[in-house]
Amino acid sequence: MTPPALFAGLSVLELGVLPAGAYTARLLAELGAHVVKFEPPAGDPARHASPCIAGGEPGLASAWFAWLNAGKHSARLGDAGATLLDRLVSADVVIDSLTASERTRLGIDLEGLRRERPGLIVADLSWFGRSGPYAGFRGTDAVCRALAGLTSLTGPAAGPPLGLPDYQAAVSAGLAAFVAVAASLYGRLRGVAGMQWETSVFEASCVLAEMQATEAHGKGARPARLGLNRYTPTFPMGVYACAQGWLGVTVITPAQWRDFCALLGLPELAADPALATGVDRLAQADRIDTLIGPRLRERTAAEWFEQGLARRLPFVEMPDMGQVLASPRFAARGALATYELGARTLHGPGVPWRIRGLAAGGRVPRLGEAAAPAPTGAWPGALARAPRADAAASPAQPLAGLRVLDLSMGWAGPLCTRQLADLGASVVKVESCGYADWWRGTSINPDDYAARLYEKQPRFNMMNRNKEGITLDLTHPEGVALVKALARDADLVVENYSNGVLAKLGLDYPQLRAIKPDLVMLSMSAYGAGGAWAECRAYGSTLEQGAGLPGLNGVPGQPPVMNHIAYGDAVGGLNAACAALAALMWRDLTGEGQHLDISQIECMLPYAAPWLLAHSAAGATPERVGNRHPDHAPHGIYRCAGADAWVLVSVADDAAWAALCQALGRDDLRRDATLAHAAGRRAAHDRLDRIIAAWTARHAADSAMHLLQAAGVPAGVIRAPHDLFDDAHLAARGHWREMMRPHVGSHPLPAAPFRPQGRALPMRGPAPTLGEHNDRVLGRLGLDAEAIAQLRAAGVIGEQAYPPAKFIRPTSGVPT
């Protein structure tokens, strides 16, 4: 028998038309919630958003709308105002992106409702949050990404920068809001009251840029835009033409560079000491490209991928949309779902979590169709569970009492556990003195270890706040035994070791489940477990390439263009937190633990979802349009006064066009009937670009943005990641928080993108120094001071990293 969906009986109302809110509600629907989408009388504007399916039923032709809204019911606000208020009274969760004036007009008082129903959970989504200098700004997906530092370093060195097409920000913000809602639902199973969580699309987008921002801040360096597919700090990293198809290449380590050169028959490059590091090679990228480009064109991308796989090189054959849909691997793993869109049946990515209680795909609702009756109190929630003794006293910390064992390193896994820690979970991070988290740095210089540079890496310190840190040598039997003891007391284990490593150590899921039957374990790898690709080496860039995203970016005649942000890592971490919370609730409701096998490349597919559904319908390859937009016109990135200063302008509708004409002082353009609608403006885009560029060139970027926004035009400065520290809106909202930490002193950390009642979550402590909490954590396991001292003397635990050449278990507490 098919098990019931996780959220069967959960009543969710979706209010407003923000795409990020629609995605949050879609995730709840995928897990079985009864979601009613209340739309404006004319319908959600996304019903007409590109890419559209030729010949589609009116209101059901948008592939973007279809993907956002499968599995929901639709009601029309103009037809059912009283019904809305009735449903609000019985809702478990409200996804709200209305403005304050819209709520007043509809008679909605969420604060009053929450006082009457303390269990109600509200996800309050907006472009920029409800406070701060940008609170009244008009937003679009591209505007938020521009301001968040996700655009500035991609594109030709001389400019303009080149942005990814929509709808990246909506997906990231929808995931962030879901984490907060799921955490509150987890808390409700323990009798914790509900909460109103504010999530801004802008701040959720900043999560993807915070690594580069903190790295630049820590080094005092401001990276420059280096050109198409040229990104700090390594080379080669890009997409290359082959005899057939495109090959994604990422080369970072010295061993990878040697193997790459040997594979291409260019040993002289590997032997050149001037090309030893990624930074060295980046400085000579043009010369290297003239040598490796012709060699790569000698074979097909598929052939290079197979040869790279044998050498464990981070290669991937970059697919187009049709190849993604036809991929046997994605099909075998259930990564693709079926969507009913009117009379059509389409295929595209589902929720990228293979978990129990998931109902993928579904029917896309027509506007205002009769919604099925909402369930009444069917989901257990707080009604069926008594609060645990360690339940959170404050609903702002709904995960208090949740115990997480973090065996992950780098970006994706630690971002997953950081979100859980921010929401109150107790997270114990396990490293070892000989194999510390690689985000602490990978130097082979003994002097760097003596200076403890591994304690000074901004990226590590940014990602691991609110956690306890211990060291355990997992090559030692006592280290393995202590991990098992920690797992016995844990609710969740998160790991991103290479496939097969934990099994060899005796720490894989079957062995941990034997000692903790209801354990939830989450494993994160590039391609998921099993199959020929399971051992393939990959980075965030590889994941972006393998999902086909670069093929949507740029203009015809250019190679596919990657983004300068390693999307795959951060996106994997966001999805992992969502999946973990869902699995923990399934455990609470059924008593069943489970092993979550997260494929990070599958987590990237939602970022290409609308083009995949459109290709499924018509087999059409999307046209690349650079910085233009299929719906918004004019839309582009325009130079401003100053060095490398740019502003993105996005005329999202006819009202914004009238506002732009006013800001430019061009009433003649407003009176021109041929420009009154987007189609006419697209036909005149070149001329309009010249007019806008002449105006922006006279203004500083921030001035141009504020003048345009004051008139009602969506616009945003093209900020670089390091500029986020000087952003007035982030400063006003307390996004950057200073914390003290040994070895670095005061350093800035970014706030979580979800805020209880609009307030930033507290930061309980900085990232742990290596082994900082050994005594405290092991003491909780019952070890006394003498036993802990013996472990330290045997090198099972320690507080100082060993240089790689000295990773030999010492006979005393000091490595020799």
Side-chain angles (χ1 to χ4, degrees):
M1 295 179 61
T2 302
L6 170 64
F7 290 141
L10 187 75
S11 175
V12 178
L13 296 191
E14 179 190 334
L15 309 176
V17 297
L18 193 71
Y23 189 48
T24 305
R26 157 73 195 281
L27 294 173
L28 292 165
E30 287 277 305
L31 290 161
H34 182 278
V35 179
V36 179
K37 179 184 181 73
F38 277 88
E39 302 187 55
D44 186 333
R47 286 184 178 273
H48 310 288
S50 295
C52 287
I53 298 164
E57 180 182 323
L60 285 178
S62 168
W64 173 233
F65 179 87
W67 188 75
L68 281 181
N69 294 287
K72 301 178 185 176
H73 305 275
S74 170
R76 196 192 314 246
L77 278 171
D79 297 341
T83 303
L84 167 60
L85 298 179
D86 291 342
R87 287 186 182 267
L88 275 172
V89 173
S90 60
D92 295 294
V93 178
V94 175
I95 310 296
D96 173 33
S97 62
L98 296 169
T99 64
S101 60
E102 287 172 330
R103 287 194 210 98
T104 300
R105 179 171 53 81
L106 292 168
I108 297 173
D109 179 10
L110 292 177
E111 287 294 325
L113 193 59
R114 288 189 62 251
R115 286 192 295 271
E116 295 175 10
R117 301 183 61 238
L120 179 65
I121 298 165
V122 177
D124 176 2
L125 292 103
S126 59
W127 289 114
F128 295 102
R130 306 299 182 183
S131 64
Y134 303 167
F137 276 17
R138 290 198 64 186
T140 68
D141 200 282
V143 165
C144 286
R145 285 183 282 115
L147 279 164
L150 301 181
T151 301
S152 67
L153 300 182
T154 297
L162 183 61
L164 280 173
D166 289 350
Y167 302 90
Q168 318 304 317
V171 177
S172 301
L175 288 167
F178 180 87
V179 169
V181 169
S184 273
L185 288 169
Y186 177 89
R188 267 186 52 178
L189 290 172
R190 286 152 179 76
V192 178
M195 176 56 69
Q196 182 163 332
W197 296 94
E198 180 186 300
T199 302
S200 90
V201 179
F202 170 47
E203 288 166 332
S205 299
C206 290
V207 172
L208 276 67
E210 62 189 18
M211 186 275 281
Q212 283 183 305
T214 53
E215 282 288 286
H217 182 271
K219 296 176 180 177
R222 292 178 171 257
R225 189 170 54 258
L226 302 176
L228 295 179
N229 293 322
R230 303 267 174 91
Y231 306 110
T232 300
T234 194
F235 184 84
M237 184 172 71
V239 182
Y240 288 85
C242 300
Q244 181 180 341
W246 297 90
L247 184 72
V249 174
T250 302
V251 173
I252 294 180
T253 70
Q256 288 168 0
W257 173 239
R258 289 193 301 270
D259 284 349
F260 178 72
C261 293
L263 181 60
L264 269 61
L266 296 169
E268 67 278 11
L269 290 182
D272 187 344
L275 303 178
T277 71
V279 173
D280 295 334
R281 298 191 293 272
L282 190 58
Q284 300 188 54
D286 289 340
R287 178 172 77 88
I288 296 172
D289 267 347
T290 63
L291 297 172
I292 67 175
R295 296 295 176 97
L296 290 169
R297 286 192 289 273
E298 292 174 358
R299 299 175 185 170
T300 68
E303 291 170 332
W304 284 122
F305 172 70
E306 290 299 328
Q307 295 199 25
L309 190 63
R311 295 173 179 256
R312 298 203 68 195
L313 283 169
F315 284 1
V316 66
E317 185 180 3
M318 199 205 79
D320 59 27
M321 297 296 98
Q323 290 169 325
V324 170
L325 292 170
S327 166
R329 180 163 184 82
F330 289 144
R333 286 183 52 84
L336 303 176
T338 299
Y339 298 84
E340 298 175 29
L341 186 61
R344 294 174 179 264
T345 298
L346 307 180
H347 296 90
V351 172
W353 324 323
R354 307 285 85 75
I355 64 175
R356 297 186 188 124
L358 181 69
R363 181 174 173 274
V364 181
R366 291 181 172 86
L367 174 61
E369 66 183 2
T376 55
W379 196 71
L383 302 176
R385 299 274 175 159
R388 280 187 358 185
D390 56 356
S394 165
Q397 295 279 296
L399 300 185
L402 176 68
R403 296 165 301 238
V404 180
L405 180 58
D406 185 0
L407 303 180
S408 69
M409 300 185 186
W411 192 349
L415 177 58
C416 166
T417 56
R418 189 189 79 180
Q419 294 171 89
L420 304 180
D422 286 346
L423 290 161
S426 172
V427 177
V428 175
K429 180 178 179 65
V430 179
E431 305 174 75
S432 76
C433 294
Y435 188 58
D437 188 320
W438 57 74
W439 262 27
R440 290 184 181 273
T442 55
S443 173
I444 60 174
N445 185 345
D447 291 341
D448 291 344
Y449 284 82
R452 300 204 178 192
L453 292 186
Y454 54 85
E455 297 291 10
K456 303 174 183 180
Q457 293 292 338
R459 59 191 177 189
F460 175 88
N461 296 335
M462 172 268 297
M463 194 55 65
N464 290 287
R465 62 169 181 249
N466 291 340
K467 304 176 185 178
E468 293 178 300
I470 67 170
T471 54
L472 290 172
D473 180 359
L474 301 187
T475 67
H476 193 292
E478 288 189 74
V480 172
L482 288 169
V483 169
K484 289 182 176 179
L486 289 167
R488 186 178 293 111
D489 287 339
D491 300 293
L492 170 69
V493 174
V494 177
E495 64 91 10
N496 62 351
Y497 278 81
S498 298
N499 283 308
V501 171
L502 288 185
K504 294 176 182 176
L505 294 172
L507 295 173
D508 61 351
Y509 178 65
Q511 295 175 86
L512 294 183
R513 182 180 58 186
I515 62 174
K516 173 78 170 177
D518 66 346
L519 181 70
V520 174
M521 186 168 183
L522 187 149
S523 298
M524 306 179 67
S525 60
Y527 299 100
W533 293 9
E535 300 303 319
C536 185
R537 186 69 183 267
Y539 297 97
S541 51
T542 319
L543 303 172
E544 180 186 347
Q545 295 158 355
L549 276 179
L552 302 175
N553 199 20
V555 297
Q558 288 180 346
V561 180
M562 293 167 49
N563 192 278
H564 69 276
I565 298 294
Y567 263 46
D569 292 298
V571 169
L574 292 171
N575 276 279
C578 296
L581 289 167
L584 288 164
M585 282 184 274
W586 180 265
R587 179 208 61 179
D588 281 6
L589 294 172
T590 67
E592 296 177 357
Q594 59 184 296
H595 184 207
L596 305 180
D597 171 24
I598 300 293
S599 162
Q600 289 183 243
I601 198 167
E602 291 170 22
C603 293
M604 292 299 298
L605 295 182
Y607 288 80
W611 294 276
L612 288 167
L613 265 71
H615 193 283
S616 172
T621 300
E623 180 184 0
R624 296 191 292 162
V625 295
N627 281 329
R628 292 190 176 173
H629 194 282
D631 297 329
H632 304 167
H635 181 283
I637 295 176
Y638 304 94
R639 187 180 290 277
C640 297
D644 199 32
W646 308 85
V647 66
L648 184 141
V649 180
S650 181
V651 176
D653 51 37
D654 295 340
W657 167 246
L660 178 62
C661 294
Q662 175 189 344
L664 299 180
R666 294 294 300 266
D667 198 52
D668 58 316
L669 297 176
R670 185 188 60 81
R671 293 195 306 269
D672 187 338
T674 66
L675 303 177
H677 301 293
R681 297 194 293 272
R682 274 194 292 275
H685 215 303
D686 288 344
R687 177 167 67 96
L688 297 179
D689 279 346
R690 290 191 292 271
I691 292 170
I692 298 169
W695 183 87
T696 60
R698 301 196 301 269
H699 299 275
D702 274 272
S703 176
M705 174 180 71
H706 283 282
L707 289 169
L708 292 167
Q709 286 281 2
V713 182
V717 174
I718 305 295
R719 299 225 191 278
H722 52 261
D723 293 330
L724 298 180
F725 289 96
D726 301 319
D727 184 275
H729 184 75
L730 295 178
R733 285 174 59 82
H735 180 78
W736 295 106
R737 313 281 293 281
E738 291 286 330
M739 292 204 80
M740 294 295 297
R741 182 179 183 277
H743 306 289
V744 295
S746 181
H747 63 296
L749 297 174
F754 30 78
R755 294 166 173 251
Q757 303 297 104
R759 297 184 296 272
L761 284 165
M763 295 187 188
R764 304 190 303 278
T769 58
L770 190 67
E772 178 179 355
H773 303 108
N774 282 334
D775 290 27
R776 184 163 78 191
V777 173
L778 296 178
R780 291 203 297 263
L781 292 178
L783 277 69
D784 60 22
E786 182 180 354
I788 293 172
Q790 290 174 351
L791 291 171
R792 187 171 284 111
V796 178
I797 66 173
E799 289 76 32
Q800 185 172 345
Y802 310 156
K806 295 187 177 181
F807 183 28
I808 301 171
R809 191 178 302 114
T811 57
S812 68
V814 180
T816 57

